[in-house]
């Protein structure tokens, strides 16, 4: 899409010409760091700055020499998919001393570097801020020692710092997600899914220890994502007597026919008195009290390893570009900032505010103010904890409220990973609210045929990690069968509906809303949760299932390229371009964001029309790049982007025009994008958004219950719950009609189109980039929206 002229002026005003930017990674490594480094280098070069690598973190800055090297565009090629940090990371005691920082300042001034991108944890970023504050004094000392000229003090008077948080623990306040966290969750869930099969075979209990010495985020979210029986974290130690309660729960679960138990322990878990709770202690407790066959698995540094997830690649790329923009905008009086993720937006927050709040969390924990520690972690962490407690710990029947309401849940449209997690969450929250929950098989087709049955708490056990739709789902719309559906609703006395699905689910809800005029059975609270890999539902920036599909695309492209390298190993290196077709209907989300996550050279989509001239220009651009350095090219095409420029046509065009420089391969990914186990993101997103929807349903049922019946006939009683920028919002579906292109089944406005220039910049195309919303610093506490929900958007 064409960018406004103001954005082009923006780049002229923020030219990096004459500026030098250095990037370093410090502290523990995290998957995605390389993506951030790549983005900093390429965005820095794009705006005309010189960019330097600082190898081995602060140690390399202190040692200087070959540790500080100028970066080129090609030096970050094939970097995006690599785990760890290619430029190295090391803990440096010398930088903590004044003498060490003096050496570092000398090494930077020699190269004219006054802009630093620091990727690390709170210790690394605190060190960077101290370095900034001491900078002018360090320069004066260097002048006194005769190591630099006096005019250098004026020339390099200010050091500018922008941080990005790379930490798998997600332990840094001020951002919903840190680089590496999502990938670590992938490693954990892969292990849990594998363990579950052997645990079921032998009726075992597994105690899984995950990282998190001071933060229980990984344990908490992985517990949510796999439906763990018990989770132990440092921020919220269990009440005294937890040992007996845990064993009672494990025993009750087994008595209901479950063949396994999963207990997740954060390595820093403690009890109310500050005593460590170790995985071995938990194992011995279970064996002693219950006699269950119990095993311990300590994941350790496996969580740091492997390739970064699609989420981390995109997050790192967005943050890296935003960090360069922040450096270009900074002045001598601008405080050091951290590029942060709030909901779906990249924002900048003052570095030391974040560090101080992070330290406050630890102080609260040390002083046993655990409720406060949870709140200080942020609304994201707090919501995760509340949702876990709601779903994992079943209240006795005597303690449950009795609402006498019947709520039906069904899936509509194509299957999407995460649907089952959403159904499980809805059923359990509904039961906790006192409702009777009914499951409808095969969508509205099953509804009018009467395929409706009550579902209990235990019936949805183990659903979180299952792909597809266990309820079954069809694309059938209700309009033709509305009379039979109304009859079934009367028969089962359905008082509310929760529909989980894609564009068909949206259309279905509109049809049911319109049917209210003729059928009072539909005058009930009705809510829809968007679940489709295409991410083409209006009213939401993100749909359940889209993240899993993106990971499938990234993984499949890696397999293609890896297999290709193996084939070529005997015949030497050959340049090759892959033409990949993605799903999505007319929506280009998967092609665009998948392209960003995999470092694509081009992505063709319906929303951004293209012609033969643009195709030719892309081929020429890629040919020039191939002649100089890169060995692989990647082009994505959304399945319905153009009826004439098909995947075969583009493949043949690139093959012909690239003859003598590169050859081509094509791959249509097809329904592999829909299959497989849901990603941790989709399990968590589906679980939390469904819990929120059921709480809304409960509230509406109470509000609309009058004279012995439920009657809801207002627009706001028929809603879609979607992620809008930074918040989860209930929106009347009838109000979303004007925002929808029904012919092409897409929203008229789509946020991710703003990411396309970013993808082009990182592929070395000249374009303009739509910057972050404000470009201003936001305070950590005051400007956070009340309903912001953790890590639920790209």
């Amino acid at each position: 899409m064409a960018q406004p002229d103001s954005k082009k002026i923006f780049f002229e005003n923020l030219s990096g010409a004459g500026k030098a930017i250095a990037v370093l990674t410090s502290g523990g490594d995290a998957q995605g760091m390389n993506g951030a480094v790549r983005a900093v280098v390429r965005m820095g070069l794009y705006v005309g700055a010189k960019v330097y690598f600082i190898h081995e973190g602060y140690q390399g800055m202190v040692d200087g020499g070959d540790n500080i090297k100028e970066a080129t565009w090609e030096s970050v090629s094939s970097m995006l998919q690599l785990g760890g940090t290619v430029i190295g990371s090391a803990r440096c005691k010398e930088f903590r001393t004044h003498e060490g920082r003096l050496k570092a300042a000398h090494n930077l001034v020699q190269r004219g570097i006054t802009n630093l991108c620091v990727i690390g944890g709170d210790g690394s970023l605190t060190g960077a801020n101290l370095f900034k504050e001491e900078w002018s004094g360090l320069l004066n000392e260097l002048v006194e020692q005769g190591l630099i000229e006096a005019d250098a003090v004026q020339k390099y008077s200010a050091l500018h710092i922008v941080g990005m948080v790379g930490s798998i623990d997600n332990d840094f306040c001020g951002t919903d997600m840190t680089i590496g966290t999502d990938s670590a969750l992938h490693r954990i869930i892969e292990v849990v899914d594998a363990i579950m099969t052997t645990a079921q075979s032998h009726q075992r209990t597994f105690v899984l220890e995950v990282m998190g010495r001071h933060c229980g985020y990984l344990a908490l979210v992985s517990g949510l994502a796999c439906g763990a029986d018990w989770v132990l974290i440092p921020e919220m130690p269990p009440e005294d007597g937890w040992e007996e309660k845990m064993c009672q729960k494990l025993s009750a679960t087994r008595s209901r026919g479950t063949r396994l138990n999963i207990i997740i322990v954060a390595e820093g878990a403690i009890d109310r008195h500050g005593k460590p709770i170790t995985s071995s202690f938990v194992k011995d407790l279970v064996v002693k009290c219950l006699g269950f066959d119990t095993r311990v698995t300590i994941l350790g540094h496996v969580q740091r390893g492997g390739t970064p997830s699609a989420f981390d690649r995109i997050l790192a790329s967005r943050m890296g570009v935003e960090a360069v923009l922040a450096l270009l905008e900074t002045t001598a009086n601008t405080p050091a900032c951290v590029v942060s993720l709030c909901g779906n937006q990249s924002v900048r927050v003052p570095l030391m505010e974040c560090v101080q709040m992070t330290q406050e969390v630890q102080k609260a924990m040390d002083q046993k103010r655990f409720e406060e520690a949870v709140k200080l972690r942020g609304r994201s962490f707090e919501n995760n904890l509340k949702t876990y407690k709601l779903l994992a710990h079943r209240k006795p029947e005597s303690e449950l409220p009795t609402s006498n309401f019947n709520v039906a849940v069904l899936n509509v449209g194509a299957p999407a990973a995460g649907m089952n997690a959403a159904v499980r969450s809805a059923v359990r929250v509904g039961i906790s609210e006192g409702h009777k929950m009914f499951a409808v098989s095969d969508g509205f087709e099953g509804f009018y045929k009467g395929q409706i049955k009550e579902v209990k708490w235990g019936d949805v056990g183990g659903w979180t990690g299952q792909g597809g739709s266990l309820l079954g789902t069809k694309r059938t719309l209700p309009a033709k069968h509305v009379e039979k559906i109304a009859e079934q609703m009367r028969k089962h006395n359905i008082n509310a509906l929760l529909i989980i699905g894609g564009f068909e689910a949206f259309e279905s809800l509109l049809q049911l809303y319109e049917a209210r005029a003729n059928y009072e059975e539909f005058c009930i609270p009705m809510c829809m949760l968007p679940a489709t890999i295409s991410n083409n539902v209006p009213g939401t920036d993100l749909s359940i299932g889209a993240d899993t599909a993106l990971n499938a695309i990234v993984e499949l492209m890696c397999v293609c390229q890896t297999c290709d390298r193996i084939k070529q190993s005997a015949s030497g290196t050959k340049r090759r371009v892959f033409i990949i077709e993605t799903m999505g209907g007319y929506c280009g989300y998967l092609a665009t964001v998948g392209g960003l996550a995999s470092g694509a050279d081009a992505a063709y989509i319906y929303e951004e029309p293209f012609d033969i001239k643009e195709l030719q220009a892309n081929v020429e651009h890629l040919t020039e790049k191939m002649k100089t350095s890169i060995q692989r090219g990647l082009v994505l095409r959304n399945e319905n982007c153009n009826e004439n420029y098909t995947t075969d046509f583009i493949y043949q065009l690139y093959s012909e025009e690239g003859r003598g420089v590169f050859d081509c391969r094509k791959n249509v990914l097809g329904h592999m994008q829909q299959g497989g186990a849901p990603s941790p993101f989709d399990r968590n997103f589906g679980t939390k958004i469904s819990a929120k929807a059921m709480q809304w349903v409960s509230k509406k049922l109470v509000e609309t219950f009058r004279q012995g019946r439920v009657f809801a006939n207002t627009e706001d009683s028929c809603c879609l719950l979607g992620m809008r920028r930074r918040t989860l919002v209930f929106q009347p579906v009838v109000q979303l009609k004007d925002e929808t292109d029904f012919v092409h089944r897409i929203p008229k406005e789509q946020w991710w189109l703003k990411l396309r220039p970013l993808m082009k910049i990182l592929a070395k195309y000249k374009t303009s980039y739509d910057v972050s919303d404000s470009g201003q610093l936001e305070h950590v506490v005051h400007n956070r929206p009340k309903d912001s929900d953790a890590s639920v958007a790209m």
Side-chain angles (χ1 to χ4, degrees):
M1 280 188 154
Q3 299 295 316
D5 291 340
S6 61
K7 298 301 180 187
K8 295 175 183 176
I9 296 170
F10 168 85
F11 272 107
E12 292 169 8
N13 293 341
L14 289 181
S15 169
K19 294 192 176 184
I21 299 171
V23 58
L24 71 144
T25 54
S26 179
D29 65 313
Q31 306 98 316
M33 279 183 165
N34 289 322
V37 171
R38 171 181 176 268
V40 169
V41 170
R42 292 196 166 178
M43 189 63 182
L45 294 173
Y46 180 86
V47 297
K50 276 190 175 183
V51 186
Y52 291 85
F53 293 134
I54 299 179
H55 291 272
E56 311 308 331
Y58 287 116
Q59 190 65 58
M61 194 191 297
V62 172
D63 293 341
D66 290 340
N67 288 303
I68 305 177
K69 292 181 179 178
E70 189 170 351
T72 65
W73 193 276
E74 290 73 25
S75 60
V76 292
S77 294
S78 302
M79 200 182 201
L80 187 58
Q81 74 274 19
L82 300 177
T85 166
V86 169
I87 61 175
S89 181
R91 304 193 187 276
C92 180
K93 292 182 180 178
E94 197 173 355
F95 189 76
R96 297 177 184 175
T97 67
H98 184 80
E99 292 75 16
R101 293 191 291 276
L102 190 66
K103 288 181 185 178
H106 185 217
N107 289 325
L108 295 186
V109 169
Q110 283 183 313
R111 294 163 178 82
I113 298 170
T114 56
N115 298 279
L116 278 182
C117 281
V118 180
I119 308 167
D122 60 336
S124 303
L125 297 176
T126 302
N129 191 68
L130 176 62
F131 193 37
K132 171 185 169 66
E133 290 175 348
E134 291 182 347
W135 181 255
S136 59
L138 294 171
L139 294 193
N140 288 328
E141 283 187 56
L142 291 172
V143 170
E144 290 171 8
Q145 294 178 17
L147 294 173
I148 62 173
E149 299 295 327
D151 62 352
V153 176
Q154 182 66 32
K155 188 175 181 181
Y156 306 116
S157 59
L159 178 68
H160 307 297
I161 301 285
V162 172
M164 288 173 274
V165 189
S167 166
I168 69 166
D169 293 336
N170 204 33
D171 57 353
F172 193 81
C173 294
T175 184
D176 286 346
M177 284 286 267
T178 58
I179 296 169
T181 302
D182 187 69
S183 300
L185 287 169
H186 272 259
R187 300 295 91 76
I188 294 168
I189 295 305
E190 285 165 10
V191 171
V192 173
D193 286 350
I195 279 174
M196 279 184 165
T197 57
T198 189
Q200 283 180 325
S201 299
H202 297 278
Q203 296 193 61
R204 281 182 178 150
T205 295
F206 268 89
V207 182
L208 194 73
E209 182 181 303
V210 302
M211 284 185 166
R213 195 173 304 149
H214 304 293
C215 179
Y217 186 87
L218 289 179
L220 180 57
V221 175
S222 58
L224 260 179
C226 72
D229 295 279
W230 204 269
V231 172
L232 294 159
I233 60 173
E235 290 89 346
M236 184 54 68
E239 299 289 344
D240 290 345
W242 66 272
E243 298 93 338
E244 184 180 352
K245 289 180 182 177
M246 184 185 77
C247 290
Q248 285 175 351
K249 188 191 176 196
L250 298 180
S251 180
T253 303
R254 286 292 179 93
S255 67
R256 291 194 294 268
T258 303
R259 294 176 59 85
L260 78 157
N261 299 110
I262 299 290
I263 303 168
I264 298 182
V265 183
E267 62 179 332
I270 55 174
D271 65 17
R272 288 272 158 177
H273 308 286
K275 180 183 176 183
I277 301 174
T278 64
S279 51
S280 58
F281 173 81
V282 175
K283 175 202 168 183
D284 292 342
L285 177 66
V286 174
V287 172
K288 178 183 175 183
C289 296
L290 299 174
F292 289 173
D293 184 5
T294 307
R295 299 286 190 274
V296 171
T297 299
I298 300 174
L299 291 187
H301 285 76
V302 166
Q303 294 157 90
R304 292 190 187 278
T307 60
S309 66
F311 184 101
D312 273 327
R313 297 181 191 204
I314 297 159
L315 178 64
S317 297
R318 291 181 70 183
M319 285 188 168
V321 168
E322 185 69 21
V324 173
L325 295 176
L327 285 172
L328 295 179
E329 291 179 321
T330 193
T331 66
N333 298 322
T334 305
C337 74
V338 174
V339 178
S340 160
L341 182 74
C342 179
N344 194 30
Q345 304 294 304
S346 295
V347 297
R348 305 171 196 172
V349 290
L351 188 155
M352 289 315 295
E353 276 190 26
C354 298
V355 169
Q356 287 161 10
M357 187 172 286
T358 303
Q359 292 169 348
E360 283 296 319
V361 176
Q362 190 58 50
K363 190 184 296 183
M365 289 163 60
D366 292 341
Q367 296 174 357
K368 299 182 175 56
R369 293 181 283 116
F370 299 115
E371 296 284 349
E372 186 178 343
V374 168
K375 287 182 179 176
L376 287 169
R377 277 278 180 231
R379 191 168 297 275
S380 159
F381 191 93
E382 194 175 3
N383 286 341
N384 280 317
L385 185 58
K386 286 178 181 177
T387 306
Y388 174 75
K389 287 179 177 179
L390 197 61
L391 296 173
H393 302 296
R394 183 182 184 183
K395 293 178 182 177
E397 295 287 341
S398 58
E399 294 182 21
L400 289 174
T402 51
S403 68
N404 296 317
F405 292 126
N406 295 345
V407 181
V409 58
L410 67 158
N411 295 334
V412 178
M419 277 182 163
N420 296 320
V423 172
R424 169 186 176 269
S425 178
V427 168
R428 293 196 168 180
V429 173
I431 291 171
S432 296
E433 300 275 331
H435 310 318
K436 274 189 179 180
M437 298 299 298
F438 289 82
V440 182
S441 300
D442 296 334
F444 283 106
E445 185 172 316
F447 210 138
Y448 81 78
K449 291 178 179 178
Q451 296 170 205
I452 305 167
K453 65 176 182 179
E454 187 178 354
V455 59
K456 303 286 188 178
W457 185 282
D459 295 335
V460 291
W463 280 35
T464 310
Q466 299 291 316
S469 167
L470 292 173
L471 287 183
T473 181
K474 296 285 181 71
R475 296 181 183 270
T476 305
L477 298 179
K480 292 181 180 179
H481 312 284
V482 68
E483 186 173 344
K484 290 182 179 179
I485 293 169
E487 182 183 329
Q488 292 296 332
M489 293 185 74
R490 284 195 303 274
K491 180 179 176 181
H492 295 277
N493 190 28
I494 301 300
N495 305 120
L497 273 183
L498 181 66
I499 303 172
I500 303 166
F503 201 88
E504 291 90 352
F506 173 65
E507 291 180 300
S508 297
L509 202 53
L510 279 172
Q511 291 178 2
L512 294 183
Y513 176 80
E514 290 165 1
R516 282 177 168 179
N518 299 314
Y519 297 91
E520 287 191 357
E521 288 81 2
F522 302 114
C523 294
I524 58 173
M526 296 185 286
C527 185
M528 175 200 160
L529 302 182
T532 167
I533 70 166
S534 301
N535 199 34
N536 64 330
V537 177
T540 187
D541 291 346
L542 194 71
S543 300
I544 299 165
D547 182 70
T548 304
L550 283 175
N551 279 287
I553 290 169
V554 168
E555 289 165 14
L556 287 165
M557 287 191 289
C558 285
V559 169
C560 289
Q561 296 186 55
T562 300
C563 291
D564 185 65
R565 280 195 283 270
I566 292 170
K567 289 176 186 175
Q568 294 172 17
S569 60
S571 58
T573 303
K574 192 171 186 179
R575 292 179 174 88
R576 180 154 290 165
V577 174
F578 291 88
I579 313 295
I580 307 290
E581 181 184 300
T582 66
M583 294 177 74
Y586 286 95
C587 181
Y589 175 82
L590 290 178
T592 295
V593 184
L596 182 59
S598 55
D601 296 279
Y604 301 116
I605 63 171
Y606 167 79
E607 293 91 341
E608 192 171 278
F610 58 97
D611 55 22
I612 192 66
K613 291 181 181 178
E614 184 171 343
L615 286 170
Q616 183 65 34
N618 292 156
V619 175
E620 291 172 0
H621 180 82
L622 192 51
T623 302
E624 288 303 309
K625 287 170 67 177
M626 285 283 188
K627 285 177 180 177
T628 55
S629 61
I630 66 168
Q631 303 297 315
R632 297 288 178 274
L634 183 62
V635 175
L636 278 75
R637 177 188 177 276
N638 168 243
E639 59 183 347
N640 287 345
C641 65
N642 189 293
E643 62 179 339
N644 296 313
Y645 301 134
T646 64
T647 301
D648 283 336
F649 178 91
I650 293 174
Y651 163 71
Q652 290 168 10
L653 176 67
Y654 273 76
S655 296
E656 180 63 30
E657 297 300 316
R659 193 183 299 275
V661 180
F662 59 81
D663 64 4
C664 287
R665 293 288 183 271
K666 67 175 178 178
N667 200 330
V668 178
L669 299 183
H671 286 79
M672 294 179 73
Q673 296 158 86
Q674 281 185 330
S679 67
F681 183 101
D682 277 327
R683 299 182 196 199
N684 190 24
F685 185 31
T687 297
K688 289 198 294 184
I689 196 173
S690 186
K692 191 176 183 72
M694 280 306 303
Q695 289 170 332
W696 176 88
V697 165
S698 296
K699 181 183 175 185
K700 287 293 180 185
L701 284 168
V702 172
E703 289 177 357
T704 57
F705 185 72
R706 296 288 183 274
Q707 299 178 343
R709 60 175 289 198
V710 172
F711 187 83
N713 200 26
T714 56
E715 288 184 358
D716 66 355
S717 62
C718 183
C719 285
L720 178 148
L721 175 56
M723 182 73 188
R724 281 292 179 101
R725 295 164 65 84
R726 306 186 191 183
T727 55
L728 288 171
V729 184
F730 290 96
Q731 302 148 97
V733 288
V734 70
Q735 293 180 13
L736 295 173
K737 289 173 71 174
D738 291 340
E739 299 180 21
T740 308
D741 175 353
F742 284 94
V743 174
H744 297 101
R745 298 160 59 88
I746 55 175
K748 290 179 181 177
E749 292 187 12
Q750 303 186 83
W751 70 273
W752 52 265
L753 286 168
K754 291 183 178 181
L755 298 180
R756 287 187 62 76
L758 188 154
M759 183 190 73
K760 291 178 180 178
I761 288 168
L762 297 179
K764 212 173 183 177
Y765 286 93
K766 285 294 178 185
T767 186
S768 52
Y769 178 55
D770 192 357
V771 297
S772 62
D773 286 342
S774 63
Q776 302 296 318
L777 283 178
E778 290 191 2
H779 292 289
V780 180
V781 180
H782 303 303
N783 291 341
R784 295 289 162 151
K786 289 184 178 180
D787 292 325
S788 180
D789 215 348
S791 61
V792 292
M794 292 295 179

